[in-house]
């Protein structure tokens, strides 16, 4: 049966890909966005070309959300200031709080008034970086490897029961606060809701930058032969992340929508998992072999605020709950980004000249 879905942040990387995938399967999809992310105007045209409706507005303004009229059954909240560095120098602190917390609460309030279910795209950044960095690691020639076991973490990755006491960045804190509010809304007002704590997501149509969308940034820099730098943890590029391909996230959300009536704000990890994990050094090797290009890579020893030495998603609970499994390994995701750049060369040239 066709679903009627509102996607806030529907002209961003994640929102626009979900919108087009669901619209293509026959759902009615409306994308709501203030077009604040550079390049989102282009994704806005793209979603409309695929038959999605578009409403321009800001989630910080409840009256803008009222412009979304219709009989919606689900809201997917994919609107955020997604950079972990946002707010780190204090100047844009209130912007991050208003955008990521007040804005999301406005979305939940919109859902409460209309009895609309919610899927909230949260982040692995809710897990405190100081606790993660304090774990013991072996330093291997190409990557850091976890050498200790403690509550909520094993070689398979970080689980949702990893302790939450610690520092996580204003980005992580606003997303965690929004999670807490959504849980209360969901339970108190009987609104079906699922929270996905996503790790690094990547894929075609991501307008990746050094501070957000790093693996796309890595591939784009190789493709256009641009200089890169390993930043933090001694500047050797051994820090590890797993990559979730956008298409695997879409499969998960699709599975969750089908049973969302059962959930009241439960939290699930969503990442590429151990099979899709790699260090920046390993990403460099893959980007070189996929593009045939070698770019100069500088080295900055000092960490940036909230940098993480190692993060792999332990998805086991999510996989069991939704009979879902991320299928694409890191190499496949990088190959797909390369294919997208190649088949949209002129557009990518324009886009990334603007963004870099
Ligand atoms: N990309 C990732 O690796 C990743 C990882 C974990 C979680 N997430 C979460 O997924 C969601 C989508 O991230 P993304 O990578 O697509 O980011 P994005 O920047 O590409 O998309 C966000 C969109 O939201 C819009 N937006 C921002 N503030 C808004 C506001 N006040 N009102 C209306 N629209 C607004 C932007 O214009 C943009 O189009 C975010 O909530 C983010 O926290 C992303």
């Amino acid at each position: 049966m066709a679903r009627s879905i509102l996607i806030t942040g529907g002209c961003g990387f994640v929102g626009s890909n979900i919108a087009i995938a669901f619209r293509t399967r026959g759902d009615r999809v409306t994308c709501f966005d203030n077009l604040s992310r550079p390049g989102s105007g282009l994704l806005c045209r793209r979603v409309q070309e695929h038959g999605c409706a578009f409403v321009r507005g800001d989630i910080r303004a409840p009256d803008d959300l009222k412009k979304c009229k219709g009989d919606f059954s689900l809201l997917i909240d994919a609107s955020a200031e997604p950079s972990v560095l946002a707010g780190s120098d204090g100047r844009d602190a209130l912007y991050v709080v208003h955008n990521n917390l007040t804005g999301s609460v406005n979305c939940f309030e919109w859902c409460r008034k209309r009895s609309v279910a919610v899927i909230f795209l949260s982040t692995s950044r809710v897990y405190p970086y100081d606790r993660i960095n304090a774990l013991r690691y072996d330093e291997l020639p190409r990557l850091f490897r976890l050498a200790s076991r403690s509550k909520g973490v094993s070689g398979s990755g970080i689980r949702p029961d990893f302790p939450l006491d610690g520092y996580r960045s204003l980005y992580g804190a606003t997303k965690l606060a929004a999670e807490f509010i959504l849980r209360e809304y969901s339970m108190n007002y009987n609104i079906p809701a699922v929270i996905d704590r996503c790790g690094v997501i990547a894929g075609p149509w991501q307008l990746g930058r050094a501070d957000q969308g790093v693996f796309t940034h890595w591939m784009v820099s190789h493709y256009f032969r641009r200089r890169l730098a390993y930043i933090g943890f001694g500047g050797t590029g051994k820090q590890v992340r797993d990559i979730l391909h956008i298409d695997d996230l879409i499969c998960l959300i699709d599975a969750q929508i089908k049973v969302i009536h059962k959930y009241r704000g439960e939290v699930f990890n969503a990442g590429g998992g151990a099979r899709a994990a790699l260090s920046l050094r390993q990403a460099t090797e893959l980007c070189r072999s996929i593009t045939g290009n070698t770019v100069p890579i500088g080295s900055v020893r000092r960490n940036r605020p909230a940098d993480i030495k190692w993060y792999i998603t332990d998805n086991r609970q999510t996989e069991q709950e939704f009979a879902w499994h991320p299928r694409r390994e890191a190499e496949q995701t990088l190959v797909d980004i390369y294919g997208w750049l190649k088949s949209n060369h002129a557009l990518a040239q324009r886009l990334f000249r603007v963004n870099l």
Side-chain angles (χ1 to χ4, degrees), residues 158-176:
I158 294 202
R159 293 193 303 269
D161 62 337
F162 189 79
L164 288 178
D165 185 29
Y167 296 98
R168 53 179 53 77
S169 76
L170 208 51
Y171 169 62
T174 50
K175 296 295 270 191
L176 182 61

Side-chain angles (χ1 to χ4, degrees), residues 12-14 33-34 36-37 58-59 99 122 171 175 198-199 201:
F13 159 56
V14 172
D33 205 297
N34 67 356
S36 58
R37 171 107 186 199
D58 195 307
I59 54 168
N99 222 50
S122 188
Y171 169 62
K175 296 295 270 191
C198 303
I201 310 164

Side-chain angles (χ1 to χ4, degrees), residues 8-260:
T8 56
C11 302
F13 159 56
V14 172
S16 65
N17 274 296
I18 298 174
I20 290 168
F22 289 168
R23 177 68 201 130
T24 305
R25 291 173 208 178
D27 295 320
R28 288 186 302 279
V29 179
T30 300
C31 296
F32 178 94
D33 205 297
N34 67 356
L35 304 184
S36 58
R37 171 107 186 199
S40 53
L42 174 105
L43 298 181
C44 180
R45 280 197 295 284
R46 187 167 178 260
V47 294
Q48 290 181 88
E49 279 159 16
H50 282 80
C52 303
F54 170 63
V55 175
R56 186 166 188 166
D58 195 307
I59 54 168
R60 290 168 292 181
D63 282 349
D64 282 3
L65 282 163
K66 283 186 199 154
K67 291 193 271 182
C68 302
K69 300 210 187 302
D71 195 13
F72 293 99
S73 54
L74 176 77
L75 180 144
I76 300 175
D77 185 4
S79 51
E81 167 48 65
S83 170
V84 75
L85 292 179
S88 54
D89 69 359
R91 271 180 305 151
D92 49 0
L94 275 182
Y95 161 71
V96 178
V97 172
H98 287 146
N99 222 50
N100 293 4
L101 178 55
T102 319
S104 286
V105 175
N106 287 337
C107 294
F108 308 153
E109 184 60 15
W110 183 91
C111 291
R112 181 187 69 77
K113 288 186 176 145
R114 292 161 183 79
S115 296
V116 170
V118 183
I119 291 187
F120 178 58
L121 293 179
S122 188
T123 169
S124 57
R125 288 299 194 154
V126 303
Y127 301 117
Y129 61 82
D130 52 347
R131 271 184 183 271
I132 295 174
N133 291 342
L135 298 167
R136 276 191 306 110
Y137 298 93
D138 292 327
E139 184 167 352
L140 305 184
R142 293 154 79 221
L143 75 163
F144 295 117
R145 186 178 63 193
L146 185 72
S148 58
R149 270 170 176 270
S150 59
K151 182 171 163 40
V153 59
S154 70
S156 304
I158 294 202
R159 293 193 303 269
D161 62 337
F162 189 79
L164 288 178
D165 185 29
Y167 296 98
R168 53 179 53 77
S169 76
L170 208 51
Y171 169 62
T174 50
K175 296 295 270 191
L176 182 61
E179 282 188 10
F180 286 147
I181 305 271
L182 177 56
R183 280 195 84 122
E184 296 306 317
Y185 263 64
S186 182
M187 181 53 79
N188 291 322
Y189 314 128
N190 204 26
I191 300 167
V194 161
I195 296 166
D196 287 324
R197 285 186 181 157
C198 303
V200 169
I201 310 164
W205 299 99
Q206 184 172 36
L207 310 177
R209 310 181 303 225
D211 65 324
Q212 205 270 332
V214 66
F215 289 107
T216 298
H217 171 66
W218 222 252
M219 175 50 85
V220 167
S221 302
H222 277 82
Y223 183 79
F224 287 119
R225 296 192 175 84
R226 288 185 163 152
R227 190 182 172 78
L228 283 165
Y230 295 132
I231 302 174
F233 304 105
T236 56
K238 294 182 184 176
Q239 57 267 55
V240 169
R241 303 298 301 264
D242 58 340
I243 309 180
L244 178 64
H245 193 295
I246 182 68
D247 290 346
D248 280 324
L249 176 62
I250 290 167
C251 288
L252 173 62
I253 291 176
D254 196 36
Q256 291 174 330
I257 294 174
K258 291 181 178 130
V259 288
I260 196 154

